[in-house]
Amino acid sequence: MSGFSLSRRGLLVGASAVGASAALSACGAKTGTESSSGAGAKADTSGSTVKVGLLNSLSGTMAISEVTVHNALLLAVKEINAAGGVLGKTLKPISQDGASDWPTFAEKAEALIKDDKVVATFGCWTSASRKAVKPVFERYRSLLFYPVQYEGLEQSPYIFYVGATTNQQIVPALDYLKKQGLTRLYLVGSDYVFPRTANKIIKAYAKAKGMTVVGEDYAPLGSTEFSTITNKVKSAGADAVFNTLNGDSNVAFFKEYKSAGLSAKSLPVLSVSIAEEEVKSIGTQYLEGQLTAWNYYETTPGAANTTFVKAYQAAYGKDKPTSDPMEAAYISLYLWKEMVEKAGSFDVAKVKAASDGILLDAPEGKVTVDGATQHVYKTARIGKVGSDGLIEEVWNSGKPIKPDPYLKGYSWASSLS
């Protein structure tokens, strides 16, 4: 039994695909097509086992976030195998450490595709790592399932974006702040593609919506020096801070924030890359009352989430929290499984063609794959960090939001893409 319930349609599709795939799996072909340079993905599906790639930072500054994503992927593999595998084949996870280094991510991605002959890869966190591996997956025509919210303005035929795009996280977060009367923003982020692009979007929104950006600062990824930035934030006259720091820089930032006499009550921070695992690592005493924007929290109500949290904590410890990126990584394997079984094949082109309309009753709620963009419909949620370290939802969008990675539905964003 999986860690969440599939829709009735998903069950019917999966069941019919298994029968149709029997003859295919017996043939033992290597799937994928050749590019003009002769570098095609040659996933080995010839035996009773197929390999899936897990590509995460298990060391370095991003390990604070990515190790738990890796654990959630392993949990999904274990559950899927216990339920009979995919098209009757057992999944064998092959883990590679991106080591918080973008060239290493590209190197490891190529190794998974060429040497390990994986049928698909699941992972990456930062947009820098995704940008580094994107040409690798496109060159070899192999699939990456990316589990983390990102800055949008991207689409690749070989990436499925399972985390939120901009109109499912950043835009709802700005709408929420505006409704709370918090219209003077200070932007703090790590110095790489996601924060800089996100802040470009935030400034376009602010200009059109009567908000003001009173300051903007970046720190190198992994930086632990934030005294200068927090002093600037303190004196800027902001109503709120919009935080796009990533990794363990958040530990140093929030400790310095409190040291400077700032708090959620005096100057709230809304973060888009701090989830339950980071709260635990940073310390609840530094984060209580602060805001986050995600699509899932450990406290999200529903039977599917209760099952997921119990399964994760049974595997990794009762004190281990779940989080949005973990949940998105976890369901990414199930989404891929449903695509494969609907296609009746591991072939990349057939899997892509089968993706549209795949629906799961996931821990975060209903998610549906939009085949045109290879993103998913997701419910936006704003949360507040509690004294127990958990994040309690204070607002949600009411229903899943259609992905709009290029913000085509927003007139104020016309100059961004």
Side-chain angles (χ1 to χ4, degrees), residues 162-191:
V162 186
T165 187
T166 318
N167 74 308
Q168 299 166 319
Q169 187 198 33
I170 290 175
V171 173
L174 291 168
D175 288 342
Y176 178 82
L177 291 175
K178 189 172 186 295
K179 287 178 182 177
Q180 302 304 308
L182 304 174
T183 60
R184 293 174 58 82
L185 305 181
Y186 202 107
L187 311 182
V188 177
S190 297
D191 194 4

Side-chain angles (χ1 to χ4, degrees), residues 36-203:
S36 58
S37 63
K42 297 181 179 178
D44 188 357
T45 62
S46 59
S48 60
T49 298
V50 293
K51 297 176 183 176
V52 291
L54 311 185
L55 182 57
N56 312 103
S57 290
L58 306 179
S59 60
T61 189
M62 290 307 303
I64 185 177
S65 300
E66 295 191 54
V67 167
T68 57
V69 169
H70 181 259
N71 290 344
L73 288 167
L74 289 174
L75 175 63
V77 169
K78 181 180 178 181
E79 290 178 351
I80 289 170
N81 283 339
V86 179
L87 295 186
K89 294 179 183 289
T90 301
L91 303 183
K92 180 179 180 180
I94 306 296
S95 298
Q96 290 283 9
D97 181 9
S100 305
D101 177 70
W102 324 141
T104 300
F105 265 92
E107 174 190 325
K108 299 297 186 179
E110 187 164 30
L112 285 168
I113 298 166
K114 286 183 65 178
D115 302 335
D116 295 308
K117 297 180 173 58
V118 297
V119 289
T121 300
F122 304 81
C124 294
W125 178 296
T126 67
S127 287
S129 63
R130 189 192 69 253
K131 295 283 189 185
V133 304
K134 179 174 174 281
V136 177
F137 285 95
E138 291 175 348
R139 182 166 69 251
Y140 290 101
R141 303 182 186 182
S142 187
L143 291 179
L144 169 68
F145 284 74
Y146 178 65
V148 186
Q149 49 77 20
Y150 82 114
E151 71 282 357
L153 306 182
E154 180 181 297
Q155 226 173 292
S156 169
Y158 295 97
I159 300 177
F160 280 91
Y161 303 79
V162 186
T165 187
T166 318
N167 74 308
Q168 299 166 319
Q169 187 198 33
I170 290 175
V171 173
L174 291 168
D175 288 342
Y176 178 82
L177 291 175
K178 189 172 186 295
K179 287 178 182 177
Q180 302 304 308
L182 304 174
T183 60
R184 293 174 58 82
L185 305 181
Y186 202 107
L187 311 182
V188 177
S190 297
D191 194 4
Y192 74 103
V193 60
F194 165 62
R196 286 194 174 273
T197 306
N199 286 344
K200 181 181 176 183
I201 293 167
I202 291 168
K203 286 183 285 186

Side-chain angles (χ1 to χ4, degrees), residues 162-327:
V162 186
T165 187
T166 318
N167 74 308
Q168 299 166 319
Q169 187 198 33
I170 290 175
V171 173
L174 291 168
D175 288 342
Y176 178 82
L177 291 175
K178 189 172 186 295
K179 287 178 182 177
Q180 302 304 308
L182 304 174
T183 60
R184 293 174 58 82
L185 305 181
Y186 202 107
L187 311 182
V188 177
S190 297
D191 194 4
Y192 74 103
V193 60
F194 165 62
R196 286 194 174 273
T197 306
N199 286 344
K200 181 181 176 183
I201 293 167
I202 291 168
K203 286 183 285 186
Y205 176 102
K207 183 178 180 181
K209 299 286 187 174
M211 299 177 80
T212 304
V213 173
V214 299
E216 180 178 2
D217 271 299
Y218 298 91
L221 197 63
S223 175
T224 58
E225 173 48 54
F226 285 96
S227 59
T228 300
I229 289 177
T230 52
N231 285 332
K232 290 169 71 176
V233 168
K234 190 174 183 179
S235 62
D239 296 326
V241 175
F242 202 106
N243 172 31
T244 53
L245 291 170
N246 262 267
D248 54 12
S249 288
N250 278 300
V251 179
F253 172 71
F254 278 99
K255 287 183 176 179
E256 189 63 44
Y257 203 76
K258 184 174 182 179
S259 179
L262 298 170
S263 67
K265 187 171 290 186
S266 64
L267 186 57
V269 180
L270 190 149
S271 301
V272 292
S273 292
I274 289 178
E276 287 84 347
E277 182 66 25
E278 288 78 19
V279 171
K280 183 177 179 181
S281 299
I282 295 166
T284 306
Q285 68 271 31
Y286 300 106
L287 288 171
E288 185 177 354
Q290 299 290 13
L291 299 168
T292 63
W294 290 105
N295 308 99
Y296 164 88
Y297 299 112
E298 183 178 320
T299 56
T300 297
N305 189 36
T306 299
T307 301
F308 170 57
V309 172
K310 285 182 178 179
Y312 186 84
Q313 292 181 344
Y316 297 106
K318 291 183 178 180
D319 62 333
K320 299 298 183 183
T322 57
S323 68
D324 183 291
M326 293 164 56
E327 189 264 358

